[in-house]
Each structure stands twice: as C-alpha cells, then as structure tokens.
DNA sequence: AGCAAATTTGCATTAAATTGCAACAAGTGT
DNA sequence: ACACTTGTTGCAATTTAATGCAAATTTGCT
C-alpha cells in the first residue's frame, strides 16, 4: 500500500477514535510499526495530527494545557512552537514572516484560533487556510520561489500600513554583540518594517543559530521584546542573552 | 497516442479511481512507464493531480497536498488557453486575476517563457513557480480561501502601481447590453483597477457565461480589447459580440 | 533507581525516480 | 523537397527513497 493511502486511512480513523496506536495501525495496514511511526511523523509535521507516545491523536480544538503540551510535543521546532503559542491571545493581529519555524507555529495553532495574521509567506497562507476564524492578509511584492515569500519595497511599504500586536520573526541569526542579522537585504529590511509596525516583537531562534552572524543587520537587542529558543531556560548557551532587556523563553 | 490525449485520459480515470499506477496506465495507453511518469509530472506541475510513489492520486485525496484545485483542463478551458497564448510575447508584463480559466493559461505557458506576471491568485503563483524565467509579483490584501485570491482596497491600490502590456481577465459574465459584470464587489473593483493599468485587456469567457449577468458592473465593451471564448469563430452565440470594437477570438 | 516499553538510529534490501542518451517523429523555414 | 530545429519516446545506468530489522538510547512508571 502506498504512503498516501495509509495517511488517509490514519486520518480517517482518527475522525472516530480519540487516539490511534502504532500496533493497531501496523496490523490494520499490514506494514511495520516503524513505517507507521514515520507516517505519523509526516502528518505531525504537517500539522494534521499530534504525535503522542505510542501513537497519535487529533489536533485539539482547544490549546493544550502546558503540561499536556510538554508531554505530547517534542523536537526543536515543536518546543519553539509551543513556547510561542503561549504569547498568543485570541483576537490579536500578528505578523508572521518567512522560515520553517514560523510554519511550525502556524501548523500548531489550535483549530479554533481567532486571529488576524499578516504574512508574506505563502506556506503560512496555505497552512492557516484550514483554520476558519483566522483572517489572512497577504503582503504583496516580488515573489521568491526558494523561500516562498514575497519581498521588496512593495512588501515593506505594505507592512507599514498595519499595526500588529505581535510579530513572530522567523529563525534568525542572533549574536550577543551584533544583534539580529539576516542573510538577504530584502528579507532584513522587511523584518525591520515589521518590527516598526508591531507592539511586541518575538524573535525565534534555534540553538544552532544562536551566536551566529549574517551580513545584514536587522536590529540590536533593543528591537526585540522576547527571544524564544528550543533550549531549556538554564542552558549555558543562553548566558549571553540574559538581562539584555528582553524576555527569554 | 498523443500526449494531450493521454493527459486527458489520466485525469478522467482519476475521477473514478482516486488513484492510478504507472503500470496500469502504461498498459492501458500502450506506452512505456517512463512516458506515463513524464505525463504525470506535467500534470503534477500544473497542480492537476498529486504525484505519489508509483503513480498519482487526486489532490483532494492527498492529505499532504495543498488545497484542492479543480480540474481546469476540461471543458473549453483548454481551447481558451490556447487562443490566449497567441496574444503573449516574451518580455511582456501581464496581469492575471482569479478563476480556473486563468490557471489553465498559466499551466499551458511554455517552460521557457520570459515574462513578468502580476497576480492576486495563489494558484497561479504555484503554477508559475515551475517556470524559472517568469518573475512573479504578488498583489497583497485580504485573502479569500474559496477563490485563493487576495482582494480588497489594498490589492486595488497595488494594482494601480504597475503598468502591464496585457491583462487576462478571468472568466466573467458578459452580456451584450450590460457589458462585463462580477459576482463580488471586491473582485469587480480589482478588475477595474487592472483594466486601468493595462495597455490591453483580454476578457476570457466560456460559452455558458456568455449572455449572463452578475450584479456588479465592471465595465462595458469599451473597456476590453479582446474577447476569447471556447466557441468557434462562426458560432451564432457570438453574433451579439461582433463589431463591438474589440477583437473576437 | 531500575525495569519494561517506546523510540531513535544505523543499516541492508528492494522499489522507484532521475538522468543521460539515442532513435524517431513533427514541424519550420529555406 | 531539403536540411534543420524541436520535441517525444523508450532504454540503461545511476541516484534516491521507502521499508523492515536490530542495536542502542530514551522515556514512563513504580
């Protein structure tokens, strides 16, 4: 049986049952548990269900309690996504820019979220389309195939037309001396515009991008209000970023 | 059997079977599996189906594929696309708005096209991404899930910032007395803006939409330069639209 | 802490996709 | 009618992906 058929089957099964287990599915679809595990990981990464120990369950309507989330979600992107989720309140307007971390957040939003999301990221548009109460506003401009984002003066200009409660800034190079930097000028300038148009800027960075530098300076630490990483709060790698005037998550 | 015939056959088969394999098709159409593979790749690139290992399935059946794209190769869409294509020259800047007919045109563009395309249609963005020498400019604004387009004052305003050689206006209600009309005000207003910003406006309409009316008036016949339909040039249905100051294709 | 179950990782096997290539057909322009 | 480009098709060699198995690691529970 082909992978896609199996994925279909798993999702269909989840419509009726609260949860499915690996061994049940393995038997039903007559493949090994490993294969099912990989299938469920795929679905999890696409935000179509939540991977839990021993199987999978439906993505919940309501946000998971913190405890549930910590037990159910794992992996770097997931950690960042769940931390970021705590910052979101229904009714808010949010900027989301490019990068896979942003997509992870979008894919983990509760299905009953009520938000207004402004984005230059086509992937985010696709992901959020599934959530009915999210109003999506697209920023226009020159489309870049590689990142699936629009950029350029047009996007920057448009970003300036809105005021958002929150800005989730996609994974970025961050350095204790040089602040936040981007690898493309157009990308960096758009980030600057979004910072300017938001009440609160949340920088997202995974462990590897900490202490790294790109060539275009976006802002120094005064520009951001929260830094979210996948590291534990006590991690020594974060020492350079403590007491810098922003919240560390 | 010609490629076009095969493509149609594959799509038709998928309507009933939800999944097809290479070897099945290879036998049925008596060509090699490689050829079928290439056919399916073509269809996949145009978003008409979802390529999976060993065959293809409907996009709507594949949980991992982005939103469904209604088959736009059927009906007279293909004929319209071919006619419209004659109007395009390399190096031009083109507006393309919403609708499946527009997608059909985008899907038929040769891979070596050199164009600048300005669009508010997400499906078009996806389809054109496969052509490297097409520069894509996205119009921002409020995103509508049903049509996969952005609209609103923002989109209208942005459209006014460009000047295009051509504007392909998606399938529209057209009537000899009431001119061109649209079913949504935002859609209609954007059409007006695009007409204003283009040197040449090409209206696309299939036979059924001829002599039909919607509630929002976009323009009368003075606003358009070419009307493309799927009907033969001698068709009596077209009599009302001859000698109206635009070219009839 | 310690045990059992679950999960990750590395690896071998097989199936499938891609690539490069040559033969061939279909147009194109002279 | 001719050579010429262009695109299509099938085949073989190579690369890549999916799958199941086993060892090593992690996790959950008592």
């Amino acid at each position: 049986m082909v992978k896609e058929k199996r994925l279909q089957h798993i999702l269909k099964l989840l419509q009726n049952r609260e949860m499915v287990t690996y061994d049940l599915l393995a038997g039903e679809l007559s493949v090994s548990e490993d294969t099912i595990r990989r299938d469920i990981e795929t679905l999890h990464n696409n935000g179509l269900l939540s991977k839990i120990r021993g199987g999978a369950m439906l993505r919940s309507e309501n946000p998971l309690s913190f405890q549930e989330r910590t037990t159910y979600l794992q992996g770097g992107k997931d950690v960042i996504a769940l931390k970021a989720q705590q910052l979101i309140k229904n009714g808010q307007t949010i900027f989301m820019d490019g990068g896979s971390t942003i997509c992870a957040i979008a894919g983990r939003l509760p299905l009953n979220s009520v938000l207004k999301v402004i984005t230059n990221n086509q992937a985010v548009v696709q992901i959020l389309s599934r959530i009915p109460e999210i109003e999506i506003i697209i920023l226009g401009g020159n489309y870049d195939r590689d990142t699936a984002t629009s950029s350029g003066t047009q996007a920057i200009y448009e970003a300036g037309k809105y005021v958002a409660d929150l800005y989730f800034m996609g994974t970025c190079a961050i350095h204790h001396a040089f602040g936040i930097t981007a690898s493309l000028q157009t990308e960096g300038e758009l980030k600057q515009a979004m910072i300017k148009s938001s009440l609160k800027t949340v920088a997202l960075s995974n462990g590897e991008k900490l202490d790294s530098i790109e060539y275009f300076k976006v802002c120094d630490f005064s520009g951001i209000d929260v830094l979210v990483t996948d590291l534990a709060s006590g991690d020594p790698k974060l020492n350079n970023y403590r007491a810098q005037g922003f919240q560390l998550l």
Side-chain angles (χ1 to χ4, degrees), chain A residues 8-249:
Chain A
Q8 231 180 319
H9 185 94
I10 294 171
L11 288 174
K12 202 169 147 198
L13 218 64
L14 267 177
Q15 300 297 320
N16 309 322
R17 322 165 103 271
E18 170 89 4
M19 134 172 212
V20 289
T21 58
Y22 291 140
D23 60 345
L24 171 81
L25 288 167
E28 204 160 320
L29 299 169
S30 45
V31 288
S32 77
E33 284 192 33
D34 296 80
T35 302
I36 297 294
R37 188 172 284 113
R38 282 184 268 242
D39 288 347
I40 281 180
E41 191 174 348
T42 310
L43 292 168
H44 173 87
N45 286 334
N46 284 279
L48 295 167
L49 48 69
S50 295
K51 186 168 84 166
I52 59 177
R53 198 177 169 80
M57 63 187 291
L58 270 184
R59 242 179 99 190
S60 67
E61 273 277 306
N62 303 298
L64 301 164
S65 76
F66 187 75
Q67 166 131 43
E68 280 172 317
R69 278 184 270 170
T70 46
T71 49
Y72 287 157
L73 302 180
Q74 61 261 145
K77 296 260 163 62
D78 276 335
V79 173
I80 294 180
L82 94 84
K83 286 179 178 173
Q85 209 180 95
Q86 298 173 272
L87 302 167
I88 301 173
K89 289 180 189 62
N90 270 349
Q92 286 186 322
T93 301
I94 303 177
F95 273 117
M96 299 179 96
D97 65 2
S100 56
T101 312
I102 295 288
C103 290
I105 293 177
R108 310 279 185 284
L109 285 176
L111 293 174
N112 61 354
S113 301
V114 182
L115 296 169
K116 198 175 286 195
V117 173
I118 307 166
T119 186
N120 67 323
N121 186 337
Q122 300 298 304
V124 165
V125 173
Q126 304 276 359
I127 295 170
L128 294 184
S129 294
R130 276 200 246 102
I131 305 180
E133 292 301 317
I134 291 186
E135 186 182 335
I136 303 169
I137 295 165
I138 295 177
L139 297 179
N142 296 76
Y143 181 69
D144 175 37
R145 293 160 164 74
D146 299 325
T147 59
T149 57
S150 36
S151 59
T153 53
Q154 187 58 40
I156 292 165
Y157 171 79
E158 283 179 45
K161 288 193 158 188
Y162 300 94
V163 180
D165 300 294
L166 270 180
Y167 165 29
F168 284 116
M169 180 159 55
T171 313
C172 34
I174 182 166
H175 187 276
H176 66 277
F178 296 103
I180 289 175
T181 47
S183 58
L184 297 169
Q185 174 160 358
T186 53
E187 186 195 334
E189 286 174 345
L190 182 56
K191 282 180 194 297
Q192 292 173 336
M194 287 184 173
I195 291 172
K196 214 167 158 184
S197 296
S198 307
L199 298 177
K200 193 169 183 177
T201 297
V202 181
L204 311 166
S205 183
N206 54 26
E208 297 108 55
K209 294 253 186 145
L210 275 184
D211 300 317
S212 71
I213 318 175
E214 299 286 354
Y215 91 101
F216 185 85
K217 169 126 181 183
V218 175
C219 66
D220 53 30
F221 289 162
S222 65
I224 66 172
D225 302 289
V226 186
L227 171 63
V228 177
T229 73
D230 55 341
L231 303 172
S233 60
D235 198 296
K237 267 188 168 176
L238 291 173
N239 288 343
N240 279 330
Y241 304 94
R242 295 183 209 282
Q244 293 280 0
F246 54 77
Q247 187 187 353
L248 201 53
L249 275 185

